[in-house]
Amino acid sequence: MSEFLGQASIAPAVVVLPAAVLGWLVAGRVLRPIRAISATARRLSAENLAERVPVTAPPDELATLAATINDMLDRIQQGIAERDRVLRSQRMFTANAAHELRTPLTTVRAAIDVTLDGEPTRAELLAMTGDIATAIEHSRRTLDGLLALARSQTGALTRQRVDLADLVAAALDGLAQQVVARALVLRTGLRPAVTGGEPVLLERMAGNLVDNAVRYNRPGGLVDVATGSTDEQVFLRISNTGAAVPGDAQRLLEPFVRGAGARVRSESGAGLGLSIVHAVATAHHGRVSIAAPRAGGLDVTGWLPGSSVDGGS
């Protein structure tokens, strides 16, 4: 019994010690990926999302977990980048809008101060009135454009059947005097282009395109307007023969951008026309393509889904 007890006390020590060491090594190997995941998670923050959890081999449950966490981090990083881009865009838009509204107010204040500094004549008072009226009209156009942009981005649209051909015809009728005064050649091909959307916004879209083609055209130039449908889409295409547009024409779809993509104030507009067209098309699940031919002018096409609503709905 004494010998047996001695051997029995030695055997557990011989078995337990290697088993403990082996268990510690196996547990460390198993838990190492978990510690790596925890360490990576501690290092991550809103300003540092570039690091990723190492994915170990062979592909097991921990490797799947690491890949899932990496996918989640990719989505979070993309979301934060998109948030930063939107915030920068909003800050720039707010600054540009404030400048556009401040400029006519400065013009009004200067006209009043200069004219009333002394004994103004009737002619000077009339000239001051004209300057103020021009500044007020510029402010009104800017505010109308900002309201149209805001409304098109709310997402809550009343959809009715609208024919883009009718909207274009009405816009051309409203600008008939300007077309005649500038001796523009008008070429139209208005075929039915029925879509579903909010009539007021679509009317603004068509009106802005026609107004841009007429306003920024050379005397005696050409305005080519066409509407129609292809497959499940309808289109409105307008081109003119204005001045050459240097730089990237796509930048003209941004608010307060004109000409070569610079934010330059113009008495003829606030630089919101094409950005409103782009916003309205996007709100109606459409798109806008724009090209600037080397000969000058612009070629703009708005694509919208075909009508899927009944009249009066």
Side-chain angles (χ1 to χ4, degrees), residues 17-102:
L17 184 60
V21 174
L22 181 61
W24 180 77
L25 293 175
V26 172
R29 183 177 181 83
V30 171
L31 295 177
R32 189 179 301 118
I34 298 179
R35 287 196 293 267
I37 293 174
S38 300
T40 303
R42 283 193 297 268
R43 289 192 297 269
L44 292 174
S45 65
E47 290 75 23
N48 176 28
L49 289 173
E51 193 171 354
R52 293 295 179 267
V53 177
V55 180
T56 59
D60 53 9
E61 287 77 6
L62 289 177
T64 303
L65 175 61
T68 302
I69 293 176
N70 288 338
D71 292 340
M72 180 188 66
L73 292 174
D74 290 338
R75 292 193 295 271
I76 293 175
Q77 189 175 25
Q78 292 174 2
I80 291 178
E82 179 65 17
R83 179 206 65 183
D84 294 340
R85 185 192 66 80
V86 171
L87 289 177
R88 286 194 300 269
S89 176
Q90 288 179 346
R91 285 194 293 267
M92 183 176 296
F93 181 86
T94 302
N96 289 337
H99 184 82
E100 287 288 340
L101 294 174
R102 183 179 181 179

Side-chain angles (χ1 to χ4, degrees), residues 86-174:
V86 171
L87 289 177
R88 286 194 300 269
S89 176
Q90 288 179 346
R91 285 194 293 267
M92 183 176 296
F93 181 86
T94 302
N96 289 337
H99 184 82
E100 287 288 340
L101 294 174
R102 183 179 181 179
T103 300
L105 292 177
T106 303
T107 302
V108 171
R109 179 62 182 269
I112 293 175
D113 290 344
V114 171
T115 304
L116 299 183
D117 186 15
E119 298 293 335
T121 63
R122 176 181 174 83
E124 291 174 338
L125 291 175
L126 291 176
M128 178 190 72
T129 304
D131 293 339
I132 293 176
T134 301
I136 291 175
E137 177 63 18
H138 179 80
S139 298
R140 185 191 65 80
R141 290 175 62 89
T142 302
L143 288 173
D144 288 346
L146 293 174
L147 290 174
L149 275 177
R151 185 178 179 186
S152 65
Q153 294 171 352
T154 59
L157 301 179
T158 302
R159 298 189 177 274
Q160 300 179 11
R161 286 175 62 91
V162 179
D163 192 345
L164 296 181
D166 295 338
L167 300 182
V168 172
L172 290 173
D173 289 341

